[in-house]
Amino acid sequence: MATLSPSARAARAAVFDLVSVILFVLIGRGSHGEGVDAGGVLSTAWPFLVGLAIGWIASVAWRRPYGLVRPGLILWVSTVGIGVLLRFVTGVGAETSFIIVTAVVLGVLLVGWRAIATLLTRRRVAA
């Protein structure tokens, strides 16, 4: 198996992160009976995508894109924190239960895929 270049690893991680946020939005909209039209998904996703982008910059995620703590935890906290803050600033708001579910789901998705990648990498190196 060929080793990916650092830029390819960063690009792959960025795609996984974007998919994680979009998946979170699709699951949430679906569970509330909201449509999955592009406009609705984008209007729900944008605050969290902004938080994710800020997290990528703040954590310098492209240097170690698969890291659990840096950038994983930083991306999780920034995506949730900034996403919820932007919802409040724009008047959408967020119930406490929404914030808890958001934190749990995005934590599982953003940190979870990194944990799986780390485990698989360690197994491959050990073999």
Side-chain angles (χ1 to χ4, degrees):
M1 176 181 243
T3 303
L4 293 175
S5 70
S7 60
R9 286 175 53 86
R12 179 181 281 180
V15 168
F16 285 167
D17 286 342
L18 287 169
V19 168
S20 294
V21 171
I22 297 301
L23 183 61
F24 156 72
V25 169
L26 291 173
I27 291 168
R29 289 183 64 82
S31 70
H32 292 285
E34 298 174 333
V36 292
D37 60 286
V41 170
L42 184 58
S43 71
T44 303
W46 79 264
F48 300 100
L49 293 173
V50 169
L52 179 66
I54 291 170
W56 263 78
I57 293 165
S59 69
V60 194
W62 55 90
R63 289 189 181 162
R64 195 169 160 245
Y66 291 21
L68 287 173
V69 174
R70 188 177 193 133
L73 293 178
I74 295 170
L75 290 169
W76 173 38
V77 170
S78 69
T79 302
V80 172
I82 293 169
V84 169
L85 179 66
L86 287 173
R87 286 178 58 93
F88 277 112
V89 168
T90 60
V92 177
E95 297 291 326
T96 303
S97 59
F98 172 83
I99 297 169
I100 292 168
V101 170
T102 297
V104 170
V105 172
L106 285 173
V108 167
L109 293 171
L110 293 171
V111 178
W113 78 255
R114 286 177 168 83
I116 292 168
T118 299
L119 179 64
L120 293 175
T121 301
R122 287 183 183 163
R123 281 190 176 178
R124 187 174 49 215
V125 170

